[in-house]
Amino acid sequence: MPSINLPGMEWAWLIPGLSLLAFAIIVFLGKRLPGKGSYVAITAIGLGFILFWFVLKDLLYSRPATFNVTWFDVSKYSLKWGMIIDPLSVLMLGVVTSVAFAIQVYSLGYMKGDPRFGWYFAVQALFAASMLGLVLADNFLLLYITWELVGICSYLLIGFWYERRSAAEAAKKAFVTTRLGDVGLLIGILILFKQLGTFDMSTIFQAAQRGDISAGILTLVAILIFLGAMGKSAQFPLHVWLPDAMEGPTPVSALIHAATMVAAGVYLVARSFPLFEVAPYALDVVAIIGLLTTLIGSTLALVMTDLKRIIAYSTISKLGFMMLALGSGGYAAAMLYLMTHAFFKALLFLGAGSVIHSTGKQDIREMGGLWRKMPVTAVTFIVAAIALAGLPPLSGFFSKDEALIAIRDAQSPVVYLLALVAVFLSALYVARPAFVVFFGRLKPENAHAHESPPVMTVPMMALAFMSIISGFFVFNWVGPLFGLPAQFKGFGAFLFLEHPEAFHFDVMLAVYSTLIAIAALGLGWTIYHKGLISPASIMERFAGVHRVLVNKFYMDDFYQAIINRVVLAFSNLVALFDRRVVNDTGVNGTANLTAFAGYRLRYHETGKFYDYALAIALGTTLIVIVAFLVT
């Protein structure tokens, strides 16, 4: 029989390529296609998910590789399009394609009847293509191009319902805030190019490890790169855009918060980790910002009443937790948490979308007892909540503990204690919507609530399944169970920096981290379900703290004051200079001078011979006088 050449690593470019092609087809032909092109987008990302398995298999039985072609040559520099196939990029391919596929299928039900249904799926396809291209990029130039495409797509999707002023403002806020970080990333990339004359990541990382870049420059570059990650992954103080991004359709929130935009920042730090390792104090900056972010997100999630905003602040908290793990040297632990978080956070948002789709409400104070009307949504949402809280044996338990081990081993006891506080707060804030929305008394105004259609509940069940089992990837028996090569015995043997690491179960950490989560869930049950402790009395007793939290530490007010009193004032000054100096003087002034001169000089053109004779005589006399004086 003739041999069949199955797709391998060299076919990985097709994974983003298919979604990019789907975007083009929908834009030009979508109105003539069934489902306005939605099935084209779903087929593209579905085929991408299938191709991921072939790429993964090829990687497992070979070694990481880079594929590139020359884009163009400029002088002595050669710019290339390229992709890197290694465990980090392949992990992200699996996360993005699987979650994006589930979300796009779910969107068939959620977005049904929307007048811009086809355009929604076109941008979804472009969003997926951009993120997939980003994780495959083997050079910083291509990474930056796809990085900006991710930002454009998020702008289009957050402001999808742009006729609502709040959605338009949220899209603008997200775009401008993330641009602040992106400028830092661009400057960092240009400094690296100035130092080494290349955008190629492997060349840059090797040069940094050899010491070809000075410590000061290296630290500056690492912090500038992290500034880009801070914007995309909503790290303090650039986190303010993420809660407002809830103005977009709920599936968009799920995609942004789980597998695409916010994951890009964490991925960037992980991809650039060889730079951060040798840059003095860079990892400390990452850890400090991550710690502040996880605590801020956790506390704010406790006081929000909008269901989607509670989950949004949860995302901020968990992204900070990942950054704290990365700053502690927990490269594999952070990426394990990113993977598991993608599944249960997407599920939380899709569950919230199912509730909103059914009830038409987002304020949790208007909900209650919905498990009676929406049992599938209730069960899957609770699975995601338990995974986020970190209870065994769900995925969040294993990934959370791996991150805590990295933090404990690298940071001071104070930082470790604050990380445990964040774990407690996480379980508490996720207990609040779970108990308030699905348990208690069913309110009469929600009697019309109903379970979502299968096109929405099946993706939720698939994500619930992954939220349960994905944590088991850490165990050493996973590889042999699936017949993988002997060296792949678990997550730590697949994704690592210097050498494979087998999974070691820390019993004591597992016990007290679980007890912390159970205590928080128990407190949530006491407050939000049984009512033994009144939330109103807590708010009254800590009115000042509650006011600060409800106002989000007044950071939005502070930024608005800066914009009004500094940015707009400076802009008005620039506008005044442009109008008075550049326009009125520099442009119109020369034009007016020419017109004035022409207007005055026109009088010497009289058409009379004696006037010209007089002018000649006077001119000749003047010349003679000047010549006499000079000689």
Side-chain angles (χ1 to χ4, degrees):
M1 290 181 62
S3 61
I4 300 176
N5 293 323
L6 295 175
M9 292 192 295
E10 69 276 9
W11 291 72
W13 65 273
L14 271 175
I15 299 177
L18 287 169
S19 289
L20 184 61
L21 178 61
F23 166 74
I25 292 173
I26 297 171
V27 166
F28 291 106
L29 302 173
K31 294 181 179 180
R32 304 171 188 172
L33 296 173
K36 296 183 179 179
S38 57
Y39 301 120
V40 175
I42 293 171
T43 301
I45 195 66
L47 290 174
F49 181 57
I50 294 171
L51 279 172
F52 151 74
W53 292 104
F54 289 99
V55 175
L56 174 62
K57 181 180 178 182
D58 198 12
L59 174 65
L60 292 175
Y61 286 92
S62 57
R63 62 179 60 187
T66 300
F67 305 90
N68 54 52
V69 294
T70 300
W71 181 16
F72 60 86
D73 294 318
V74 180
S75 184
K76 61 180 180 179
Y77 304 114
S78 179
L79 302 180
K80 300 178 182 293
W81 293 110
M83 63 180 183
I84 182 170
I85 310 298
D86 66 354
L88 179 59
S89 61
V90 172
L91 171 69
M92 292 299 297
L93 286 180
V95 170
V96 176
T97 53
S98 59
V99 174
F101 178 67
I103 290 171
Q104 289 192 25
V105 173
Y106 175 97
S107 298
L108 287 173
Y110 191 89
M111 299 299 294
K112 184 179 180 180
D114 192 278
R116 292 189 291 274
F117 187 78
W119 174 243
Y120 169 85
F121 277 93
V123 183
Q124 277 271 7
L126 182 61
F127 204 176
S130 303
M131 186 65 192
L132 291 166
L134 189 155
V135 302
L136 285 174
D138 75 331
N139 66 81
F140 279 111
L141 180 60
L142 179 57
L143 181 142
Y144 189 76
I145 293 171
T146 52
W147 183 272
E148 290 303 312
L149 281 173
V150 167
I152 291 171
C153 292
S154 68
Y155 172 80
L156 294 173
L157 287 172
I158 293 169
F160 181 76
W161 290 316
Y162 55 82
E163 58 274 9
R164 295 192 328 218
R165 179 63 182 269
S166 57
E169 290 296 322
K172 183 169 64 175
K173 184 176 182 179
F175 190 78
V176 172
T177 305
T178 54
R179 290 294 76 70
L180 296 175
D182 293 355
V183 170
L185 173 60
L186 178 60
I187 294 172
I189 292 172
L190 293 177
I191 291 174
L192 285 174
F193 184 77
K194 180 69 169 58
Q195 291 286 311
L196 301 172
T198 182
F199 293 109
D200 182 71
M201 291 181 185
S202 60
T203 303
I204 291 171
F205 298 157
Q206 291 168 12
Q209 297 282 346
R210 288 195 306 266
D212 294 349
I213 308 175
S214 68
I217 294 294
L218 202 55
T219 301
L220 175 62
V221 167
I223 291 175
L224 287 170
I225 289 175
F226 180 57
L227 191 60
M230 287 170 60
K232 278 289 191 289
S233 286
Q235 299 296 288
F236 171 84
L238 301 180
H239 65 282
V240 292
W241 67 269
L242 194 60
D244 291 352
M246 298 303 95
E247 293 294 335
T250 302
V252 170
S253 303
L255 191 63
I256 289 176
H257 287 241
T260 52
M261 186 165 176
V262 298
V266 178
Y267 169 80
L268 176 63
V269 176
R271 174 58 72 195
S272 307
F273 208 76
L275 287 178
F276 285 86
E277 280 189 307
V278 294
Y281 309 114
L283 283 179
D284 294 332
V285 173
V286 174
I288 291 169
I289 295 297
L291 178 63
L292 289 172
T293 304
T294 192
L295 292 173
I296 289 172
S298 297
T299 51
L300 293 182
L302 288 171
V303 299
M304 295 295 124
T305 57
D306 183 289
L307 179 57
K308 288 173 65 176
R309 284 181 182 264
I310 294 171
I311 307 173
Y313 279 109
S314 165
T315 302
I316 293 174
S317 170
K318 291 308 174 186
L319 290 168
F321 196 68
M322 294 176 211
M323 288 298 189
L324 176 56
L326 279 172
S328 304
Y331 170 81
M335 295 311 297
L336 174 66
Y337 203 95
L338 184 149
M339 178 187 71
T340 59
H341 175 267
F343 297 125
F344 61 70
K345 184 51 60 68
L347 179 55
L348 283 172
F349 270 110
L350 296 190
S354 181
V355 170
I356 296 166
H357 183 264
S358 175
T359 65
K361 298 180 175 66
Q362 290 188 209
D363 193 324
I364 63 172
R365 294 170 297 184
E366 300 175 359
M367 302 175 189
L370 290 179
W371 72 268
R372 297 177 178 85
K373 297 287 187 175
M374 311 177 68
V376 176
T377 299
V379 170
T380 54
F381 189 95
I382 291 168
V383 166
I386 294 173
L388 188 148
L391 289 187
L394 275 69
S395 60
F397 166 73
F398 296 104
S399 54
K400 171 207 66 182
D401 278 16
E402 287 294 292
L404 285 174
I405 289 172
I407 296 166
R408 179 193 65 189
D409 293 345
Q411 302 295 341
S412 68
V414 174
V415 173
Y416 181 55
L417 179 61
L418 290 174
L420 292 175
V421 170
V423 170
F424 177 86
L425 294 175
S426 297
L428 182 59
Y429 67 61
V430 80
R432 182 162 163 256
F435 286 123
V436 171
V437 173
F438 295 104
F439 296 96
R441 181 177 60 86
L442 179 66
K443 297 181 179 180
E445 59 267 30
N446 292 325
H448 67 284
H450 56 83
E451 187 58 87
S452 297
V455 74
M456 295 171 64
T457 56
V458 171
M460 290 162 61
M461 288 187 283
L463 288 171
F465 176 73
M466 292 305 299
S467 299
I468 294 170
I469 71 159
S470 57
F472 291 108
F473 295 166
V474 299
F475 286 103
N476 301 333
W477 47 261
V478 171
L481 179 67
F482 291 97
L484 300 181
Q487 66 269 28
F488 296 109
K489 295 182 179 180
F491 192 86
F494 174 72
L495 183 67
F496 56 88
L497 279 176
E498 298 176 357
H499 52 79
E501 295 183 11
F503 175 66
H504 300 288
F505 189 71
D506 191 317
V507 178
M508 287 304 299
L509 175 62
V511 169
Y512 65 72
S513 69
T514 301
L515 290 176
I516 288 172
I518 291 174
L521 291 174
L523 180 60
W525 177 81
T526 303
I527 298 173
Y528 304 116
H529 180 58
K530 301 301 291 183
L532 299 178
I533 302 175
S534 170
S537 64
I538 296 174
M539 288 187 289
E540 184 178 351
R541 183 170 183 178
F542 300 99
V545 175
H546 182 261
R547 184 165 53 253
V548 170
L549 294 180
V550 167
N551 286 283
K552 297 168 283 190
F553 294 103
Y554 296 99
M555 291 196 66
D556 286 279
D557 299 311
F558 173 74
Y559 288 146
Q560 192 62 52
I562 293 294
I563 291 170
N564 293 340
R565 299 178 183 179
V566 179
V567 176
L568 293 181
F570 180 73
S571 299
N572 289 333
L573 182 63
V574 172
L576 181 65
F577 177 83
D578 176 69
R579 185 171 63 254
R580 295 289 178 85
V581 177
V582 176
N583 189 62
D584 294 351
T585 303
V587 178
N588 292 342
T590 54
N592 292 336
L593 180 62
T594 303
F596 176 80
Y599 179 79
R600 290 298 183 184
L601 289 174
R602 69 190 176 96
Y603 291 112
H604 80 281
E605 295 286 347
T606 63
K608 297 178 180 178
F609 176 77
Y610 53 81
D611 287 335
Y612 299 149
L614 176 61
I616 293 171
L618 292 175
T620 303
T621 303
L622 181 62
I623 291 171
V624 171
I625 293 172
V626 171
F628 176 77
L629 293 174
V630 171
T631 57

